[in-house]
Amino acid sequence: MTQRARLPRTVAAGGAALALLLSLSGCGGGSSAASDDGKIHVLVYGDAANKVEKQLIATFNKKSDVKAVLDTIPGADYQAKLQTIINSKQAPDVFFNWGGGSIKPFVDADLLLPLDDFIADDPALKSKFLPSVFNSAVIDGKPYGVPMRGTQPVLFFHNEKVLDDAGVRPPKTWDELLAAVKTLKAKGVTPIALGGGDRWPTLMWFEYLFDRVAGPGLFQKALDGDKSAWESADSKKALGMIRDLVDAGAFGSNFDSVKFTDQGSPTLLATGKAGFELMGSWEYATQQDAHPEFAKKDFGYTAFPTVEGGKGDTGDLVGNTNNFYSVLKKTAHPDAVADFLKLQYSDEFVKAQLGIGNLPTTTNTQDFLGEAASPDFATFQYDLVKKAPSFQLSWDQAYPQSAATSMYQAIQQFFNGQLDEGGFIKSMQALPTS
């Protein structure tokens, strides 16, 4: 871009669909070949950012003989439905993803088109993007994605009016955060909005606490297959801090009934019912679309608090390095697809993304920061990303998608008290890493 003993239907379906996908990986073309209606179909995650994708589709269609169609799947259902259609006649020509582990199963199943030839014909498809970002969609040495939308660090957002009314300042340290939680709770405000019903927002708290306590090396060790990382002293310390925050009432009592994807948690923040929300930088586009007055007047943001004595650098970020467009090998219109991808480094793309609060990762983005919907927010993000010693990819995108269901379940159950520390550690140690 996401949490109880009973899994949401879409997540369970996604796991089953992925298993089916892998079982079909050797089937080749045949009856699963994508249908050709003479157009290229571009499939994206359905949210407020679609206005830019619609704009670029319209620009493309003005000049191309082969027309493009934008198809969307609501965010909460995107992963599961993509996995269901990716090897069917409903497969898109081009689709939105997060790079890394989110597309590796499709690469392994030989469903994606390596972009070497596209780049040979137009080197700008690679050279116009920051290398560290472009490489997030390089699998087994081959490029399988072109960056689209923008980089998406997870930031700590707040409602300035709520904080001012409570006499609270945005916390710079973990202790200051705990104090802010206590003050806001006493004022009758939910300290931190959390869309726990989607599960991936809950994961963000683990990502940052593990980084701040242990540094990025612990997660990388676990991802590389060292299961002992999860039972280390640093891991247990981070889990203890998460438990302290939940037990302090930071998220209220019904966070698992709230979602980000149906505007639940952003609305709590915008309407003053919550003081903070930890969310990807797309929070700005979401608030600008649904609560424009709040986005203009009381929308605040900071980096995640530091942890005293922690091994992680205070400038470390977690989140999605970027979103990507990947191409199905079976597309009937590769030349048209190549032309469409070129729009992702155009000036029009950069300006439009900045206009909704996204931060593109093209090499010329800095030239247009002053034209962003919020130049201050764009510059704040740009400086954080530029200076970050580590930008850790979201755990659910770094791990293979086959791990997502079990990971989400462990995250949710530890957060709501159904799993203790030992149970969480065992669950994470059981995740597949390849």
Side-chain angles (χ1 to χ4, degrees):
M1 100 191 118
T2 79
Q3 354 207 78
R4 274 173 168 117
R6 183 173 180 177
L7 294 175
R9 184 178 303 171
T10 55
V11 173
L18 182 58
L20 176 60
L21 161 68
L22 297 178
S23 73
L24 292 173
S25 61
C27 292
S31 62
S32 62
S35 59
D36 177 22
D37 60 3
K39 302 174 182 178
I40 59 172
H41 284 260
V42 180
L43 180 67
V44 296
Y45 186 105
D47 62 11
N50 295 152
K51 64 180 68 176
V52 175
E53 284 117 27
K54 291 177 182 177
Q55 176 183 331
L56 293 180
I57 290 285
T59 295
F60 175 80
N61 285 340
K62 289 177 183 178
K63 297 182 179 180
S64 177
D65 291 334
V66 177
K67 304 305 180 183
V69 176
L70 187 72
D71 298 321
T72 64
I73 295 176
D77 301 324
Y78 185 81
Q79 288 278 48
K81 290 190 176 180
L82 172 64
Q83 292 164 2
T84 300
I85 67 172
I86 196 75
N87 201 32
S88 74
K89 291 186 177 182
Q90 288 73 47
D93 296 270
V94 180
F95 70 96
F96 165 111
N97 59 78
W98 293 264
S102 74
I103 58 171
K104 191 173 188 307
F106 304 145
V107 173
D108 292 343
D110 198 30
L111 297 176
L112 302 191
L113 181 70
L115 303 182
D116 306 81
D117 290 345
F118 285 7
I119 294 169
D121 290 339
D122 179 20
L125 281 171
K126 179 178 180 179
S127 65
K128 289 288 188 178
F129 299 96
L130 300 179
S132 60
V133 172
F134 182 88
N135 290 337
S136 296
V138 173
I139 308 293
D140 299 330
K142 288 186 172 293
Y144 286 94
V146 168
M148 50 86 71
R149 293 198 175 181
T151 187
Q152 299 165 343
V154 173
L155 305 173
F156 202 36
F157 297 98
H158 62 268
N159 184 314
E160 292 185 348
K161 184 178 186 305
V162 170
L163 267 57
D164 288 346
D165 289 347
V168 169
R169 295 181 61 83
K172 295 182 179 180
T173 69
W174 187 253
D175 288 342
E176 289 177 359
L177 174 59
L178 292 176
V181 165
K182 184 177 180 180
T183 300
L184 290 171
K185 185 179 177 183
K187 293 284 186 178
V189 175
T190 299
I192 304 171
L194 176 65
D198 287 321
R199 301 184 301 177
W200 52 262
T202 308
L203 176 60
M204 294 173 176
W205 286 94
F206 289 78
E207 292 166 347
Y208 260 128
L209 260 300
F210 272 75
D211 175 87
R212 290 293 189 264
V213 171
L218 185 149
F219 176 70
Q220 190 59 50
K221 283 176 61 178
L223 188 61
D224 290 341
D226 185 351
K227 299 182 183 300
S228 68
W230 292 113
E231 59 190 43
S232 67
D234 284 339
S235 174
K236 293 177 180 178
K237 180 180 179 180
L239 291 174
M241 294 174 69
I242 292 171
R243 174 58 56 210
D244 290 344
L245 190 64
V246 175
D247 290 347
F251 307 98
S253 59
N254 67 338
F255 49 82
D256 272 345
S257 300
V258 178
K259 291 185 176 183
F260 177 88
T261 52
D262 66 4
Q263 294 287 330
S265 59
T267 299
L268 290 176
L269 185 70
T271 58
K273 295 180 180 178
F276 300 99
E277 182 171 23
L278 184 66
M279 186 49 61
S281 58
W282 56 84
E283 175 84 7
Y284 180 81
T286 300
Q287 296 290 4
Q288 186 190 45
D289 183 65
H291 305 281
E293 284 301 310
F294 168 68
K296 182 179 180 180
K297 184 178 179 182
D298 294 316
F299 181 76
Y301 43 86
T302 61
F304 192 82
T306 64
V307 171
E308 185 177 357
K311 299 174 183 176
D313 193 286
T314 58
D316 285 353
L317 296 173
V318 306
N320 300 326
T321 53
N322 217 107
N323 293 125
F324 296 86
Y325 275 139
S326 293
V327 182
L328 266 289
K329 181 175 287 188
K330 297 170 183 173
T331 180
H333 306 283
D335 292 340
V337 167
D339 287 340
F340 172 74
L341 293 178
K342 294 176 184 179
L343 288 175
Q344 309 313 310
Y345 61 76
S346 65
D347 288 354
E348 178 185 0
F349 166 83
V350 174
K351 293 177 181 180
Q353 292 292 348
L354 286 170
I356 62 169
N358 286 342
L359 184 66
T361 54
T362 57
T363 54
N364 64 336
T365 293
Q366 192 170 12
D367 297 339
F368 298 100
L369 290 178
E371 300 182 35
S374 171
D376 289 344
F377 181 57
T379 301
F380 172 77
Q381 282 190 83
Y382 185 86
D383 288 344
L384 284 181
V385 172
K386 183 178 179 180
K387 298 175 183 177
S390 170
F391 193 153
Q392 184 182 110
L393 184 62
S394 300
W395 292 3
D396 53 346
Q397 303 306 331
Y399 266 87
Q401 285 302 294
S402 56
T405 298
S406 297
M407 180 187 297
Y408 287 151
Q409 184 173 358
I411 293 293
Q412 182 183 41
Q413 291 185 341
F414 180 78
F415 224 74
N416 63 29
Q418 294 181 7
L419 270 184
D420 61 11
E421 179 184 282
F424 176 83
I425 290 170
K426 288 181 180 177
S427 295
M428 297 303 285
Q429 289 176 328
L431 295 179
T433 57
S434 61

